[in-house]
Amino acid sequence: PDVLNCHSHQPQLSLFFGARSLNRHLKAVTMVREPLGRVVSAWHYRCHNPNWDCFHIDGSVQWAERKRLHDDWYVRPPNASDSLPWVSFGQFLGMEHYQNVQTRMLGSDRFPYSPTRVEALDVRRALSRIDAHFAVVGVFELFEHSAALIAVLAGVPVDPADLLRVRAQHTPKYSEFTAALTGDAALAAKVLEKNVHDQTLHREASMRLC
């Protein structure tokens, strides 16, 4: 079977599965990730945190500004010594734009960093959409199983080598940061507190997958 479309940062679920859509009978697939790992990834990934922003989010510094500041920007992560504003990890956790982004996309059908508050009702809306319109919602922590299930349902023969995770290996700095965060119970709890709706969504998606 062919892939009809691929939506990235703008889900457009209402448009794609709305009553007037000719494609509303089709099924979608997606992946969710547990909040702690997702937040660490966003913090280290250009465009998805306030120090390397690509989406003009309030309170963020544009990636283009960082590039203009240093020719070797690609080996110079933003830090407190920069002349441009810098947001700490603790401040980042408190920025509502960057909280519960998976629930915002699936429950509110919004751009992930939209300035819209995410509530428990959005989790229920997300799960309702999942049950109605998604053939598989994979779980990042079960990547190989999720990808294999999608392939089976799509009728695509796969080999274990086909399920290789690109970027599965991270830099030592990334790994050290992850270890420090998971070893700091109070900070890890803050991550989960600020992303409690994504935590619920991940748990429900995991139960459906398993």
Side-chain angles (χ1 to χ4, degrees):
D2 295 329
V3 174
L4 179 65
N5 210 336
C6 179
H7 292 280
S8 182
H9 297 109
Q10 188 65 46
Q12 300 185 50
L13 297 173
S14 297
L15 175 65
F16 198 76
F17 295 115
R20 296 184 179 181
S21 172
L22 297 177
N23 303 309
R24 62 184 181 274
H25 63 287
L26 300 178
K27 294 294 184 178
V29 297
T30 192
M31 298 278 283
V32 296
R33 186 173 188 177
E34 59 85 17
L36 199 65
R38 192 207 62 77
V39 166
V40 171
S41 178
W43 178 247
H44 287 84
Y45 188 45
R46 286 192 295 272
C47 295
H48 297 274
N49 74 70
N51 294 316
W52 294 88
D53 178 43
C54 296
F55 304 110
H56 301 280
I57 306 302
D58 288 344
S60 300
V61 175
Q62 295 299 296
W63 177 25
E65 294 182 63
R66 299 283 182 198
K67 291 173 68 175
R68 285 194 292 268
L69 185 64
H70 298 294
D71 290 335
D72 60 344
W73 58 268
Y74 48 89
V75 294
R76 294 173 62 102
N79 58 71
S81 66
D82 279 353
S83 58
L84 290 170
W86 180 76
V87 175
S88 69
F89 184 71
Q91 292 170 322
F92 166 60
L93 294 180
M95 299 176 73
E96 192 170 28
H97 295 76
Y98 294 102
Q99 299 169 0
N100 297 297
V101 299
Q102 298 171 105
T103 304
R104 183 177 287 118
M105 293 179 77
L106 287 169
S108 298
D109 195 19
R110 296 293 188 95
F111 176 72
Y113 310 122
S114 169
T116 53
R117 182 177 294 276
V118 178
E119 301 175 342
L121 179 59
D122 294 309
V123 179
R124 295 198 291 272
R125 288 173 176 152
L127 295 173
S128 178
R129 283 194 169 109
I130 285 172
D131 292 338
H133 304 304
F134 284 77
V136 179
V137 174
V139 174
F140 182 83
E141 294 73 32
L142 296 171
F143 175 82
E144 291 81 5
H145 300 78
S146 301
L149 178 58
I150 293 170
V152 168
L153 293 178
V156 177
V158 294
D159 184 88
D162 297 327
L163 305 180
L164 178 66
R165 277 175 52 193
V166 178
R167 291 194 314 213
Q169 301 299 320
H170 295 293
T171 64
K173 185 175 181 179
Y174 185 109
S175 301
E176 290 168 8
F177 185 93
T178 302
L181 176 59
T182 53
D184 187 332
L187 189 56
K190 183 178 180 180
V191 173
L192 297 178
E193 174 196 349
K194 295 298 184 180
N195 294 276
V196 64
H197 302 308
D198 272 7
Q199 188 177 9
T200 302
L201 179 64
H202 179 268
R203 182 175 63 248
E204 291 290 336
S206 298
M207 289 191 295
R208 282 164 166 75
L209 182 69
C210 298

